[in-house]
Amino acid sequence: MLFIFLILSLGVYSQNDTIEEQGLNLECNVASRFIWRGTDYGHSPSLQPQLSYTKGFFTLGSWGAYALNSDYRETDFFLDFNYKSFTFSVWDYYSTDTVSGGHYFNYSNNNTSHTFEGIAKLNQIGQLPLSITVGYNFYGSDNTNSIYAELAYSGNYKNIDYQLFCGATPRKGVYADNSGVVNLGGSFYKIYKNYRSFFIASADFAYHQSRS
């Protein structure tokens, strides 16, 4: 899949700053497909905006996915806590489906369209550019309390950043009908940056386990 990212930052940056900076940030991604952890949501190109605010160790934000030629809509909120090599997150995923009849403020555990996930990520293992992410759905529409684990390797080749990843689930749930690898692929991207904006060109490929 081919991704073109146009990222506009509302903060002020120095030469040593990165995208994950203090202050307010706005991003808008356009993807050929929204495929997440082995599932294709919307089966069409997807517009994916994100608004976040970072202060100290915390980032509060909202992320969305809106299919361009289907009815799939997703609006999520998240809170990250970053400390040294660790990131701990809580996500509230919400999509328009028939579970709650489209009522956003229905948080009943029996019929809500919200799913809450707790995520722990080790961003680097020692001196190795390896990261480990583990997510657990603890409340909401996923009554199987699915678990997702991902190992990723990051690097740079001729000024092109890349990441190779492998994601799996240990049991039956929303990601697959049984345990196994559900997501295997890579991402290649290059950031072009000036005073107030970023342009990122990215190409991704992935294998996704099909479900019955």
Side-chain angles (χ1 to χ4, degrees), residues 79 117 133 136 182:
L79 177 64
E117 180 185 37
T133 303
Y136 175 73
V182 297

Side-chain angles (χ1 to χ4, degrees), residues 18-197:
T18 61
I19 294 177
E20 298 78 20
E21 282 297 328
Q22 303 289 317
L24 188 66
N25 289 280
L26 173 65
E27 305 177 11
C28 187
N29 306 335
V30 180
S32 61
R33 288 290 190 275
F34 173 33
I35 300 179
W36 187 70
R37 298 181 180 178
T39 301
D40 187 345
Y41 292 92
H43 305 283
S44 72
S46 177
L47 182 66
Q48 301 173 352
Q50 176 174 307
L51 178 66
S52 64
Y53 182 80
T54 299
K55 182 69 174 179
F57 297 111
F58 292 93
T59 298
L60 177 67
S62 177
W63 182 91
Y66 306 95
L68 299 182
N69 58 3
S70 76
D71 294 330
Y72 185 82
R73 302 288 186 270
E74 180 173 330
T75 303
D76 307 332
F77 287 91
F78 63 90
L79 177 64
D80 292 344
F81 174 75
N82 297 282
Y83 182 72
K84 295 184 178 180
S85 296
F86 294 93
T87 300
F88 301 96
S89 308
V90 175
W91 278 75
D92 171 12
Y93 305 108
Y94 173 82
S95 61
T96 52
D97 56 26
T98 58
V99 177
S100 63
H103 301 297
Y104 181 87
F105 293 102
N106 178 9
Y107 283 92
S108 172
N109 194 36
N110 296 322
N111 60 1
T112 183
S113 290
H114 292 265
T115 299
F116 286 85
E117 180 185 37
I119 302 174
K121 181 178 180 181
L122 176 60
N123 297 297
Q124 185 169 324
I125 303 176
Q127 299 301 315
L128 298 175
L130 292 172
S131 64
I132 297 177
T133 303
V134 178
Y136 175 73
N137 292 343
F138 62 88
Y139 183 88
S141 61
D142 178 16
N143 56 19
T144 64
N145 298 119
S146 301
I147 298 173
Y148 177 81
E150 183 177 281
L151 178 66
Y153 177 88
S154 301
N156 182 279
Y157 180 73
K158 294 185 178 180
N159 295 321
I160 301 295
D161 294 308
Y162 66 86
Q163 184 180 77
L164 306 176
F165 56 86
C166 179
T169 184
R171 65 190 187 196
K172 179 181 178 179
V174 297
Y175 305 116
D177 294 326
N178 48 57
S179 62
V181 173
V182 297
N183 207 19
L184 181 65
S187 177
F188 301 86
Y189 55 94
K190 184 174 179 61
I191 300 175
Y192 301 90
K193 176 181 175 182
N194 58 32
Y195 178 67
R196 295 184 64 85
S197 65

